[in-house]
Amino acid sequence: MSGDALPLLMVGLLVLGILSSYPVALVLGGTAVLTLLVSDLPSAFTNLMVARVYGSVLTNWLFLSIPMFICMGLLLEVSGLAERALVDIQHALGNRRGGLGIAVILIGALMAAATGVVGASVVMLTLLALPEMQKQGYSGRMASGVIAASGTLAILMPPSIMLIILSDQLGVGVGDLFAGSIVPALILIGLYLAYVLIRAHLRPDEAPMAPRSGDVRLGRIILGIGPLLLLIFCVLGSIIFGIASPTEASGVGALGAALLVAANGRLTLARFSRVAVLTVRNTTAVLFLAIGATCFSAVFRGVGGEDMIVAWLENMDVGAWGTLIILMIAMIVMGFFLDWLEIVLILLPIFGPIIAALDFGNGLSGNALMVWFAIIVAVNLQTSFLTPPFGFSLFYMRNAAQGALTNRETYAGVMPFIGLQLLTLLIVLLWPSILI
């Protein structure tokens, strides 16, 4: 085979493998191996592929921070801090219409900055907030939208695992991505809060007021969430200001989370064993997928796939912005069927170098351009977590809700928040200066 045949064969095999529900990591690696067997690439290319896997995945010190941040998030999930803070904040806002919805968003943002894992955040918020929201008379539509959107903030808020993977794939500093994601995350949180307040006043039946509890004071709230805020500040601040590497900071974060759990009397052997097992499972899934994707991208480039895409884009003459829009649309479509990790590891090794060579006329180049691009990708893929019918946050929430929410309520509830995420994406596209 020659020309575009092999790259197209690889894409075809990848699509068929994904549609067959076979594990994506095996589909990526298997496609690479099958393509090698029918290609005219030299036998030395196999050694090159193995060396690339060893160099970019197995000996990558940045990846060591992933299990530490996952462990940190899982420990904080069982610490009880989020539950106590949610109760205190919603009581303090009890005489404000939509107060519980506001409390869920604030706690969701706080836990997003502590966990970096969407699944953990969505499940925790569902278990903590959904029964109380239904008890207070919140509609299923409002409750599902607020919980799913707030939990999904973990994909954008540092120390997001996605930002760590993007840092590795695009060759930019983790600290730069963490710093660049803060303003878009705050914009998104602000839009969520505004929507809940406006919706609660326009449709008071969907977000009724709860009685205010007179014994909740600001000091109690600060005392409840203060240790968590301090831990987040130490971990993220040390990375952003260059005091510690992500790997070092992640270790401190995991240790700090364990101390917080112990201080709250919840560090039992059973809980610690559960956290350890889940950490190993999640980390293994990430690394296994990274190995398969590395093999796929290496072979795809070797058979001329990247050159084929560049030639197609040049023939289409869509320019820099057209290329970016095509990529954004492709990510949105793939988000209906694939997890963010699979999308990142499939597309970015191919499109990253292409984007780096383009001029968008916004004054960005080099590292600043790739930071902007990475944040755009993160906001885009955050949207994919909410898009029906396969949004992963919707699966997490429905499983945790145990039948308390219908599909119709879930889908209708997340639609406004999808619109707010797309608005944030547009803001980041048009005003990149907010990141730099």
Side-chain angles (χ1 to χ4, degrees), residues 331-353:
M331 287 185 170
I332 291 174
V333 173
M334 293 176 70
F336 283 95
F337 310 101
L338 298 177
D339 192 7
W340 67 266
L341 183 59
E342 297 155 1
I343 299 172
V344 166
L345 294 177
I346 291 171
L347 292 183
L348 290 198
I350 299 169
F351 279 91

Side-chain angles (χ1 to χ4, degrees), residues 29 65 67 99 101 109 124 135 158 164 180 227 232 279 286 292 301 310 340 345 368:
S65 65
M124 181 197 65
K135 179 181 176 181
I164 296 174
I232 294 171
T279 299
V286 171
R301 283 180 174 174
V310 171
W340 67 266
L345 294 177

Side-chain angles (χ1 to χ4, degrees), residues 159-176:
S160 164
I161 302 301
M162 177 190 283
L163 295 179
I164 296 174
I165 299 295
L166 288 175
S167 169
D168 175 71
Q169 293 294 310
L170 298 176
V172 295
V174 174
D176 293 335

Side-chain angles (χ1 to χ4, degrees), residues 66-143:
I66 293 177
M68 292 294 100
F69 279 130
I70 292 175
C71 182
M72 172 183 167
L74 292 172
L75 285 169
L76 291 174
E77 183 184 353
V78 302
S79 67
L81 292 174
E83 182 178 0
R84 186 169 61 191
L86 178 64
V87 172
D88 288 346
I89 293 176
Q90 74 101 358
H91 283 171
L93 297 172
N95 66 338
R96 183 181 297 276
R97 195 170 297 281
L100 180 53
I102 295 173
V104 172
I105 293 173
L106 294 177
I107 296 302
L110 187 64
M111 293 308 297
T115 64
V117 181
V118 170
S121 294
V122 173
V123 170
M124 181 197 65
L125 287 176
T126 303
L127 295 175
L128 293 181
L130 182 59
E132 186 64 25
M133 296 180 85
Q134 291 181 326
K135 179 181 176 181
Q136 291 190 16
Y138 276 70
S139 67
R141 176 177 175 176
M142 174 67 86

Side-chain angles (χ1 to χ4, degrees), residues 107-352:
I107 296 302
L110 187 64
M111 293 308 297
T115 64
V117 181
V118 170
S121 294
V122 173
V123 170
M124 181 197 65
L125 287 176
T126 303
L127 295 175
L128 293 181
L130 182 59
E132 186 64 25
M133 296 180 85
Q134 291 181 326
K135 179 181 176 181
Q136 291 190 16
Y138 276 70
S139 67
R141 176 177 175 176
M142 174 67 86
S144 62
V146 169
I147 291 172
S150 300
T152 309
L153 287 169
I155 208 65
L156 184 60
M157 294 279 289
S160 164
I161 302 301
M162 177 190 283
L163 295 179
I164 296 174
I165 299 295
L166 288 175
S167 169
D168 175 71
Q169 293 294 310
L170 298 176
V172 295
V174 174
D176 293 335
L177 291 188
F178 282 4
S181 67
I182 291 175
V183 173
L186 293 177
I187 292 174
L188 198 55
I189 293 169
L191 291 174
Y192 287 174
L193 293 172
Y195 170 77
V196 170
L197 289 174
I198 294 172
R199 184 76 179 180
H201 281 82
L202 294 178
R203 297 290 300 271
D205 58 308
E206 292 192 356
M209 288 188 295
R212 182 185 179 97
S213 178
D215 62 348
V216 177
R217 302 178 179 232
L218 180 62
R220 177 176 169 178
I221 297 175
I222 294 176
L223 184 63
I225 65 175
L228 182 57
L229 289 174
L230 179 62
L231 177 63
I232 294 171
F233 176 79
C234 290
V235 172
L236 300 185
S238 63
I239 297 174
I240 293 173
F241 296 112
I243 300 174
S245 69
T247 303
E248 296 164 341
S250 66
V252 173
L255 176 61
L259 293 176
L260 288 179
V261 177
N264 281 271
R266 295 199 175 192
L267 190 60
T268 64
L269 180 59
R271 285 196 177 103
F272 188 80
S273 298
R274 174 178 171 271
V275 167
V277 170
L278 290 176
T279 299
V280 172
R281 286 180 180 175
N282 287 311
T283 304
T284 302
V286 171
L287 294 181
F288 194 25
L289 193 54
I291 291 172
T294 300
C295 295
F296 180 88
S297 62
V299 176
F300 189 76
R301 283 180 174 174
V303 298
E306 184 177 330
D307 296 334
M308 179 190 73
I309 292 176
V310 171
W312 282 3
L313 291 173
E314 289 177 350
N315 291 333
M316 292 171 64
D317 195 23
V318 294
W321 284 100
T323 301
L324 183 60
I325 291 172
I326 291 173
L327 178 58
M328 292 296 105
I329 294 174
M331 287 185 170
I332 291 174
V333 173
M334 293 176 70
F336 283 95
F337 310 101
L338 298 177
D339 192 7
W340 67 266
L341 183 59
E342 297 155 1
I343 299 172
V344 166
L345 294 177
I346 291 171
L347 292 183
L348 290 198
I350 299 169
F351 279 91

